Amino acid sequence: MKCRNFAPLIQLFFSFFLLFSCAKKITESKGIILGFSQIGSESAWRNCNTRSVQEAAADAGIQILFFNAEQKQENQIKAIRSFIAYQVDVIAFVPIVSDGWEMVLEEAREAEIPVLICDREINIKNENLYAGYLGTNMLREGRSAAEFLLKKFIDPDTGEIVTDGKSVKIVEMRGTEGSSPTNMRAEGFRDVLAGYSGFEIIYSESGDFLRSKGYELMCKILEKPELGNIHVVYSHNDGMTLGAIDAMKERGIKPGEDIVIISIDAEQAAIDALKRGEINCVVECNPKQGPDIMHLAGLLALKETIPRVIFMEERVFTEWDDLSAIAPRGY
Ligand code: AHR
């Protein structure tokens, strides 16, 4: 008997099946209701993140219940509870701080509503209380900041540190206390520097990711003669950096020249300052997470499993790069 090869036919059948089920998923995502709790509008970065989420929801035909928590965890918890009461299909939120989410996430689980953690990470014993995390690799961001410092201050020929003194004196401006970007950017930075002697963090304080606080903090730091010569300012976001630059300029200090400045986010204003030589390195933190959030929300609404962690693509901009080719940032 002649034996026929049905494999191509079977393959064709499955391709049609897959195509059909994908098309069905896209149509189904249109009816989804997503509860989204944003932390506030503390920075240009955050405003871009909000725009990205809202525009992507509109593009995907996803109805979004959007709450701005005005920087308060209790407002986020209230918002999540209202999403549960409303029986949304998916909950997504940006946790302002890492701790304190167990109870409300238990409530979401009891209501069988999948939860996506966005932008900032949480500390939680039972990781099954949320479906996955989408955001940036903040440990990596801190490491990239320190790696720039190594290149800037270590002579490649001798391996010696180049400063006017014995060590490179660093001032750190931290973000919101208890938040994952603050903890991880601090940790990644220290991890890399720990392998080298001669780098000293002489002062570290929170400016809460705010430009106004960055300015105030730098005024305070520059009035501390006991700190001596500051070689580097490492700031956890561009808002604080731009405030600190204002404070330096008012005192006749040349940012980028007298003090090396490393910042995180890559807002347009920081890239412009990098081009003017007032910042030496900007580590990108990508806020345009909306389209990925909507894609994952679509999958979660269909009760599909998503990856535990998805990191956005990011790059590092330095004073040594060709800066003429950077496309407008949009934030
Ligand atoms: O969570 C991301 C951080 O929050 C950004 O670096 C900062 O600008 C924002 O406010």
Side-chain angles (χ1 to χ4, degrees):
M1 203 168 80
K2 209 170 166 187
C3 181
R4 288 197 181 187
N5 181 7
F6 286 112
L9 211 63
I10 293 170
Q11 241 171 28
L12 198 71
F13 171 77
F14 276 111
S15 306
F16 273 120
F17 177 74
L18 266 180
L19 203 71
F20 176 74
S21 53
C22 283
K24 192 163 166 261
K25 278 174 197 172
I26 289 162
T27 329
E28 278 172 0
S29 88
K30 292 225 180 292
I32 292 171
I33 300 177
L34 169 70
F36 190 93
S37 166
Q38 179 59 285
I39 58 176
S41 32
E42 73 282 4
S43 60
W45 188 99
R46 181 66 53 205
N47 295 338
C48 175
N49 182 246
T50 294
R51 271 197 312 279
S52 171
V53 168
Q54 290 178 331
E55 285 169 11
D59 289 349
I62 289 179
Q63 191 188 328
I64 187 166
L65 299 183
F66 185 93
F67 278 95
N68 181 330
E70 309 289 355
Q71 305 296 321
K72 290 199 176 85
Q73 183 178 30
E74 73 228 47
N75 290 348
Q76 292 205 279
I77 292 175
K78 270 188 214 153
I80 295 170
R81 290 204 166 117
S82 72
F83 299 150
I84 296 171
Y86 194 81
Q87 294 186 312
V88 298
D89 298 296
V90 179
I91 292 171
F93 76 107
V94 177
I96 181 154
V97 289
S98 306
D99 292 332
W101 300 103
E102 278 83 358
M103 204 184 283
V104 76
L105 290 184
E106 280 287 2
E107 292 167 28
R109 188 174 56 177
E110 273 160 31
E112 294 180 15
I113 302 175
V115 176
L116 176 66
I117 308 290
C118 306
D119 171 34
R120 296 187 177 181
E121 298 190 45
I122 60 171
N123 289 332
I124 202 157
K125 276 203 186 113
N126 181 359
E127 296 215 328
N128 294 326
L129 290 179
Y130 66 95
Y133 163 80
L134 170 98
T136 65
N137 187 340
M138 292 170 174
L139 207 61
R140 176 74 249 156
E141 290 163 1
R143 294 183 71 87
S144 299
E147 280 157 10
F148 171 80
L149 261 198
L150 300 182
K151 279 200 202 135
K152 179 82 183 170
F153 283 95
I154 297 181
D155 183 318
D157 300 323
T158 61
E160 299 286 314
I161 287 178
V162 194
T163 51
D164 55 0
K166 280 191 189 132
S167 61
V168 177
K169 295 193 170 153
I170 305 163
V171 161
E172 178 183 43
M173 299 171 80
R174 296 197 310 274
T176 302
E177 293 298 12
S179 69
S180 71
T182 298
N183 294 339
M184 296 168 110
R185 287 170 187 172
E187 189 186 329
F189 189 73
R190 284 164 179 75
D191 278 356
V192 171
L193 294 188
Y196 298 81
S197 59
F199 291 92
E200 204 188 336
I201 299 175
I202 55 166
Y203 193 85
S204 176
E205 192 176 330
S206 167
D208 218 5
F209 287 127
L210 293 170
R211 182 171 181 151
S212 56
K213 286 204 183 163
Y215 172 81
E216 283 164 23
L217 187 53
M218 189 47 62
C219 291
K220 186 170 119 183
I221 289 167
L222 294 173
E223 276 151 27
K224 285 182 180 293
E226 68 273 21
L227 290 181
N229 253 5
I230 298 167
H231 300 115
V232 176
V233 167
Y234 166 46
S235 160
H236 288 191
N237 91 335
D238 288 344
M240 293 188 295
T241 308
L242 296 166
I245 286 177
D246 290 342
M248 287 179 199
K249 284 185 177 171
E250 276 176 16
R251 285 157 182 78
I253 296 169
K254 290 190 196 123
E257 233 177 279
D258 297 336
I259 299 179
V260 169
I261 313 237
I262 308 173
S263 188
I264 299 184
D265 275 357
E267 290 177 9
Q268 188 63 53
I271 296 295
D272 292 342
L274 177 67
K275 287 182 181 170
R276 287 194 301 271
E278 293 176 355
I279 295 182
N280 307 77
C281 171
V282 183
V283 179
E284 182 183 26
C285 175
N286 187 346
K288 296 174 185 170
Q289 300 167 6
D292 290 321
I293 292 173
M294 297 312 140
H295 173 67
L296 295 173
L299 295 174
L300 289 174
L302 289 167
K303 306 285 175 222
E304 291 197 19
T305 314
I306 60 165
R308 286 302 299 165
V309 176
I310 300 178
F311 288 136
M312 303 291 296
E313 266 182 40
E314 323 188 71
R315 61 168 286 195
V316 178
F317 302 94
T318 76
E319 58 188 356
W320 305 307
D321 300 338
D322 170 13
L323 300 173
S324 61
I326 302 175
R329 307 290 301 149
Y331 61 105

